[in-house]
Amino acid sequence: MGKSSLLNAILNEPRAIVSPLPGTTRDTLDTPFTWNDQPMLLIDTAGIRRPGQVQGSLDYYAQLRAERALQRADVALIVIDAKEGLTHGDRRIAHLAVDAGRACIWVANKWDLVEPPDGNLGKNTPAKRDFIRLMKQQAPGFDFVPVVFVSALLRIGIETVLNTALQVAEFHCMRVPTGELNRLIHDALYERPYTRKGKPLKIYYATMAEVRPPTIVLFVNDPEIVHFSYLRYLENRVRARYTYMGTPIRWVVRPAHKEPEQA
């Protein structure tokens, strides 16, 4: 809710059509601009609907363009109605963004309807803490996604959105040196050894093969024994060290060609 209103608030001009009816935006709208000497590109898209809600060719192609626009983005601003709270559609968009490897930010718009905009928008208030706690309960697995509070109508919180987007974009392309990564992974395995099907996991080597999103490749004795829960543990260890705010981390598990010989 309020994607086009947010775009207009960021640009401080009526660049996109705003309507109280959802689904007004049909085409993607690319708008280059500069923020604090940093060139940026805003991509306003049609709302991404559930497959059963797509009606007719116009909706279908609007949906297709929106999903393609997501592939071009570095950071996805997932705008939610703060008064309404997180919806199934918001969670679906977040999953699409993460599956596409995009960094994400929850943008809670219309916060002025939740708290009076008398200086509260920039403060860490109890209402915000409760909102974030509820978000984590309703969207498990997205703890790494920051929440920013704005009022597009009043143009409050816009600086926070843009500064957070720049921070998240930096994490999205941050590479951990191979030596540091291997030490972290091996320490994590030492502190919590893992055995499955009677076979202990051995991690011989780790490397960050790509960024945008960060992609960690593990070379192990047997990929079949690596459970997603253990990858989540390793990811938490990586995030505890390097944060990676807002960006998903991808894991690729490959077999080592052979076990190293014992000295």
Side-chain angles (χ1 to χ4, degrees):
M1 301 289 289
K3 295 183 290 78
S4 297
S5 297
L6 179 63
L7 182 143
N8 290 342
I10 290 173
L11 299 174
N12 199 22
E13 63 178 80
R15 184 74 173 82
I17 298 173
V18 176
S19 169
L21 299 175
T24 302
T25 305
R26 294 288 187 176
D27 294 313
T28 57
L29 180 67
D30 288 14
T31 306
F33 76 111
T34 301
W35 170 254
N36 288 344
D37 298 324
Q38 175 69 45
M40 302 177 76
L41 177 69
L42 286 172
I43 307 174
D44 189 25
T45 70
I48 299 177
R49 305 182 182 185
R50 287 180 293 177
Q53 294 179 328
V54 177
Q55 300 176 355
S57 59
L58 190 60
D59 275 351
Y60 171 79
Y61 286 109
Q63 177 98 348
L64 189 62
R65 285 192 291 269
E67 293 184 4
R68 286 177 177 172
L70 190 59
Q71 297 287 344
R72 293 193 288 122
D74 288 312
V75 181
L77 303 181
I78 306 171
V79 184
I80 60 179
D81 188 320
K83 191 71 173 177
E84 181 180 349
L86 194 66
T87 67
H88 175 81
D90 298 330
R91 287 191 295 269
R92 181 171 178 271
I93 293 171
H95 279 290
L96 287 173
V98 168
D99 289 346
R102 304 304 94 194
C104 302
I105 300 172
W106 298 115
V107 180
N109 189 27
K110 304 182 184 178
W111 190 251
D112 55 300
L113 301 180
V114 179
E115 285 189 302
D118 53 356
N120 285 329
L121 210 55
K123 298 179 181 178
N124 184 19
T125 63
K128 288 180 182 176
R129 291 194 292 270
D130 289 341
F131 188 90
I132 293 173
R133 185 161 47 246
L134 185 60
M135 289 276 291
K136 290 182 178 180
Q137 293 173 359
Q138 294 177 336
F142 290 90
D143 289 355
F144 62 91
V145 179
V147 183
V148 295
F149 300 87
V150 306
S151 170
L153 178 65
L154 302 178
R155 296 197 71 250
I156 300 176
I158 302 303
E159 287 191 15
T160 303
V161 171
L162 295 174
N163 288 334
T164 304
L166 288 174
Q167 283 183 293
V168 166
E170 288 183 8
F171 282 118
H172 194 229
C173 63
M174 185 179 78
R175 187 182 299 274
V176 177
T178 299
E180 292 182 20
L181 183 62
N182 274 275
R183 283 191 293 273
L184 188 154
I185 295 296
H186 288 148
D187 287 348
L189 180 63
Y190 177 79
E191 292 177 20
R192 188 183 294 183
Y194 182 74
T195 300
R196 189 178 180 205
K197 300 178 181 179
K199 192 172 186 179
L201 173 65
K202 298 179 182 179
I203 301 176
Y204 301 119
Y205 187 70
T207 184
M208 186 166 284
E210 298 178 14
V211 293
R212 301 175 62 191
T215 302
I216 298 175
V217 181
L218 301 178
F219 292 90
V220 305
N221 56 328
D222 184 358
E224 295 296 323
I225 67 174
V226 183
H227 194 263
F228 75 88
S229 60
Y230 197 77
L231 292 179
R232 178 60 59 87
Y233 159 70
L234 294 177
E235 180 171 327
N236 289 338
R237 293 295 298 265
V238 171
R239 291 187 184 280
R241 176 76 62 85
Y242 300 104
T243 306
Y244 275 114
M245 178 179 69
T247 185
I249 297 176
R250 286 181 174 171
W251 295 85
V252 178
V253 183
R254 294 178 178 167
H257 293 300
K258 65 177 181 179
E259 296 191 16
E261 297 180 358
Q262 298 295 325

